[in-house]
Structure formats: C-alpha cells, structure tokens
Amino acid sequence: MSSIRTSSADILYGLVIAAVAMAFFVHTFSDQYEFNPLIESVSTVLFPRIILGGIFVCALGLIVKGYRNKSEDSRLQAVNYPKVVLVLVAAAATAAGLWFIGYFYVMPIGVFATGWALGYPNKLILAATAISATIIVWAALGYFAAVTFPTEFRLG
Amino acid sequence: MWEHVLPALASSLSISIILTILIGTIAGIIVGALPGLGTVLGLVMAIPFTIPMDSSMAIALLLSIYVSSIYGGSIAAILINVPGTPQSAASVFDGYPMAQRGDGALALGYATIASFIGGVFSLVVLVFAAPVLARVSLEFGPIETFALLLFALMTVAWVSGEELLKGIIAALIGIFLAMIGTDDMSGYSRFDFGNLFLSAGLTIIPLLIGFFAISEILFQAGTLKDVGAPSVKGGGFKVAPWKEWRKRIGVLLRSCTIGSFIGVLPGTGATAAVFVSYADAKRRAPNPEDFGKGEPSGLIASESANNSVSGGAMVPMLSLGIPGDGSTAVMMGALTLHAVIPGVRLFKDQPDLVTLIFVLLAIANVFMLVIGALGANAFSRMLKLPITLLMPLVLLMSLVGTFAIRANPIDLIVALVFGVIGFLARLNRFPPAPIIIGFVLGKQLEFTFRQGLVFTDGNVLEFFESPIAAVLFLLTGLIILNLLGLGKLIRRIAKK
C-alpha cells in the first residue's frame, strides 16, 4: 500500500481545486450570462463569482501551506489504489448493468463481484448473500414499498 | 402547540407509524452498531425509500434511525473495542474494559438507559427552545438571515475537521454545487454546459449517497487490512441496581446538559459533546483514576451526551432551517423532498407537524430503549459480520436507492462521480459535513444575499448597519482571522 506526504497532497489538491475554480470563474464571463438589467437587478453570476473566487484563494492558501510544511514527514493514510480501482470498476459496471440489463440479472453479480474485489474469502456464502439480498431487498422495497426498480432490458 | 399534542399522539399510534418506527429503530441500531456504516450513512440509504411514503411515515422512519443509530454505536464500542459511530468514540474507554472483565451485559445496560435519558432530556430542550428561537428569527430580514447562514457555515467548517482551511474549501464547494442548474431568481441556467439533466440541478440524494456510501465502500477497499470477522466480547442486557444509578445522577444530568447545549451550536455535533462530557465527568469524579478502566460513569457520560445531541441539533434545524450537524443536514434534505421546509415558517404554518415531530421523537426514544434491551444479544451476534460482506450490501442499497429517486441513470453517474470525489476528499482529510451543509444552505444563502443587495441598492456596506448582522459578521470574521493565524498573533500581543 502506498501513501504520499500530506504536504505534497495539499499542493496537488490545491492546484487541481484552483484550476477547476479558475475554469468555472472564466466561464462566468461567457455570453450566456450577459447581465440584462431589464430582467435581473443583481447579476445571476455575481454570487457564483464570489464563491469561486473564495475557492481559488483558499486553494492558493492550501498550496502555500503545502510548501511551508514540505519538511514535515506526515503522510496520508496508506491506500491500496489497485483495489480501490477494482471495486470502483465493479460498482460502475453494476450501475451500468442495472440500467441496461436490469436489477435481477445484474445485482447478484454486482454484489458478488464487489465482495470478491474487497477480499471476502468464502465465495459460497458471498454468492448466497448476493442472491438472497437481491430478492429480499426487491421484496421489501420494490413489492411492499412500491419503490421503483430498474428491471427493464435496454440493450439492443 | 400544546393543542396539537393529542391529535399528534393519535396519528402516531397508528399501526403503520408504529411499524415504521420499529423498522427504523432496528435498522438504526444495526447501522450504528456496525463499524463503517453510521448515522449519516443509515439516513442516506433510508431517504430514497421514504419517497413513496407520506410525510409522517417518512419523518418517523428518519427520526427512529437517527436516534437509535447514535445509541447503536455503543454496542460495537463496548463489545469489540471499535466505536460503531464517531459519536461513540468515548464509550470505548470504559465500555470495553467492562466487557473484558465479564460485565458486557451491564455495560450495555448502562449505555441503553443513559442513551434513552439523554434523548428524552434533549427532547424537552427541543420542545421549549425551538419555538422561542423560531419567534426570535421572525425579526430577521434577508440581511440578518444571510449573516446567520454565513456564520453557521463558517462554524461548521471550523469544527468539522482537523483543518479550518479545508473545512472552508469544503463549505464553498458545497455552496457552488447548489448553484448548478436553473437560477430560481432569474431563470437562467448556470454551469450546465448545454446538458439537460444538469440544467435541472443536482439533487441531494445522489450527492449524499456518493459522498457517504460509495466513498465509504472505496475507502474500505483501499484501507482494509483485516478481512476476517471481529472478536466479540460478551453481549446481553443487564440493569445495574438503583443505588449504582443514584451515585451517578449528577454525571447523567450534566452530560445531558452538555450534549443538548453543544448540539444546538451549528457544526459541533455529538463527537465534540461526548469528549467534553467525558472530560467533565472525569474531572469531577471522586475516583478519576478509575476512568478508562471500566468506570460506569465514563460510559454514562459518553452515551447520555451523544444522544442528548439529537434533540439539540434539531433546534436550529427546525427553527432556523440551519442543520446542526451532518445528520441533521441529511434529514433536512429528506424533509424538503416531502415539502417540509424547516425554518421559521414551519412553526407558523404547520404547528401540527412540529408537534408531530416532537411526539415521534419521544416514541422513537422509547422504542430505542425497549428494542435495545430486548435485542441486545441479537445485535451483539451481528457484530461478527465482516465488513467485506457488508460493503457489497451497502452498494446494493445505494444503487437501488439512487435509482429510486427519479429512475434517471444520470443520478447513478452523479452518485459514482461524487463517490470518487468523496473518497479523494476523505483521503486528504477534507470534512464531508461542510460540503453537504453548504449544498443544503447554498441556494438560501445566495437568495438572501441577492435580496439584501436589492434592499440596499447594491451597497454591501449597508449590510453592517443591522446590529444583529454586524455581530454575526464580526464572529465570522474572527473565525477567518483564526484561519490566517492572526488569532494566535493577537493572543501573543495581548499577553505581552
């Protein structure tokens, strides 16, 4: 598992947040937000500009803080990034499958795949849990509570 | 308000409401007891399923989960030395040593009864304080409301995490997210980039599910070391004799008071309350050296304080529309889905609903006591479920819940995207509560700001002419000065 220094993380996060905030800030000067005093008494982008400006300034502060703390050795929590990506892919595939294939086919596979990706050792119990949870949740919520479930097949 | 009590009681004692509270209590204790889930996640996962319910049932479900999940955290804290919720962090100090010496059932008895008393105490505070605060806030115009919301957000940013700067960034990002979509005042669509779904704005449920549920799954995936089941020390429920309780009435009442008071302050929440209460109990105890070794007073202080926050945190939520912590922010989002808008108008226009909320909270506390006592063994056994089996079930509920809002696949994408953002934010210790509270309050903050500008013909300096607003702006400024380190400088100069 790898971890990066907190100071480096602060600089990186600060740069990304500042860049995104600046991009949105520049966007507020585009034609679609042209101020029309006949329709509005206060510009619709005044408040967003204040907020985005605040985010930008604070992000710069985060970068400065990162540089000032460069000598410190504190680190972020160690994370197994490949495992995170694996679980994310399983979750995303389950979500996509939910929409295109339907709840009953995809959810048992998705729950099983996520549990397997997380490292649950007993595949038989995992499979049984996946199937029974799919049925129980549908029965309790879809049938009795009338919650909308994605059950249609949308591929092709 | 009192004239609505009997009708509220009558509607609360219907089979459907009682059944809903029962289910909510059991679900709340489970999510509270299982480490990695917690109050906010429990509420977030429950919200989509309240959509087909009427508002009374939805409120009953959410309140029962809220109250019982705070208590549920003590079960894990006592039996496996891991707090089930952050609010139960201090229960570990004395609860687990009690379980280790074979008094697990006694510890659970102390925790259950203390939680119940804390909950009832804070309900009394809520019943008397909320209407008073609501009447006071009637004097507030848009400028005062803007100042109050800004101060509340800065306070949340300050106390929610380890670093004020990250808390402020989180709060500002939350406010910005609220501005995506159609502007209610001008009708312009902002930051949608031509996308029809974004022009409708982000809805709170996928955001909450992403930030709390999916990010938790990713976080567990990345940091989990032990995939096995935890070792559980004992279980059961046993009530200590009256003479043991009589010795500790002072601790109980002081902790309830601390929890209720801290709960009222925006952003502070139960975690702060339990540590303050524990420290106070230890300081005043005739036997402080016994704290941390299985002294029941420590457990009582922690558990009564954390449950007494529940009513206190609802005071600003109901009376001012300002959530006291992350859990009440989630509840506020849920209430707005049912056209219940917390704030001063709620007391004026729907006093019967306010009374119903008070009655449901009382019933939820009673159910927590009864179910906690009767189900102690079952909940203890449930702790053996490994997190690697729970997280896939959380994913199932999250995806189903997200889809249930409006059957829109974009919500699934939003939940996943904010799941990743929430995971990255958590890694570098950005607190999630300010993002959510910023999102919940963002539109109102902007609306009151723009209204204020209209009233003052665009002159921002006139905002400071209101004494209430000026004081709140000053307090906000002090928080920001603290951020710049000027607080320390001023204290150093003052010392010289």
Side-chain angles (χ1 to χ4, degrees), chain B residues 108-300:
Chain B
L108 284 175
Y110 277 121
T112 311
I113 295 171
S115 296
F116 169 72
I117 294 173
V120 170
F121 186 97
S122 72
L123 174 61
V124 172
V125 168
L126 173 65
V127 166
F128 288 102
V132 170
L133 201 54
R135 271 198 296 277
V136 166
S137 72
L138 276 174
E139 305 302 316
F140 283 23
I143 294 171
E144 289 81 10
T145 308
F146 171 72
L148 179 65
L149 292 174
L150 192 65
F151 169 67
L153 266 167
M154 285 299 115
T155 311
V156 168
W158 185 24
V159 301
S160 288
E162 296 162 24
E163 299 174 42
L164 174 57
L165 182 59
K166 288 177 181 170
I168 291 178
I169 293 174
L172 292 175
I173 289 174
I175 296 170
F176 173 71
L177 291 174
M179 294 188 287
I180 295 173
T182 306
D183 172 25
D184 294 335
M185 286 177 89
S186 64
Y188 279 113
S189 189
R190 299 181 297 192
F191 310 109
D192 62 356
F193 304 102
N195 184 301
L196 192 64
F197 297 107
L198 281 180
S199 68
L202 296 174
T203 49
I204 188 154
I205 306 304
L207 213 67
L208 289 173
I209 288 176
F211 261 126
F212 291 105
I214 295 180
S215 74
E216 178 66 30
I217 295 168
L218 296 177
F219 195 78
Q220 291 289 345
T223 58
L224 192 65
K225 292 188 177 72
D226 181 7
V227 299
S231 152
V232 179
K233 290 251 179 279
F237 180 85
K238 190 172 163 192
V239 181
W242 166 242
K243 69 172 192 270
E244 293 298 321
W245 278 100
R246 197 170 56 204
K247 281 193 281 191
R248 296 173 171 98
I249 284 179
V251 170
L252 189 59
L253 290 175
R254 273 194 306 274
S255 304
C256 289
T257 308
I258 291 170
S260 298
F261 176 70
I262 289 181
V264 171
L265 303 175
T268 39
T271 313
V274 299
F275 284 106
V276 170
S277 164
Y278 187 86
D280 176 75
K282 185 175 176 181
R283 189 172 54 83
R284 292 171 187 267
N287 56 334
E289 66 283 355
D290 289 340
F291 276 65
K293 296 175 190 163
E295 166 54 50
S297 297
L299 185 57
I300 288 170

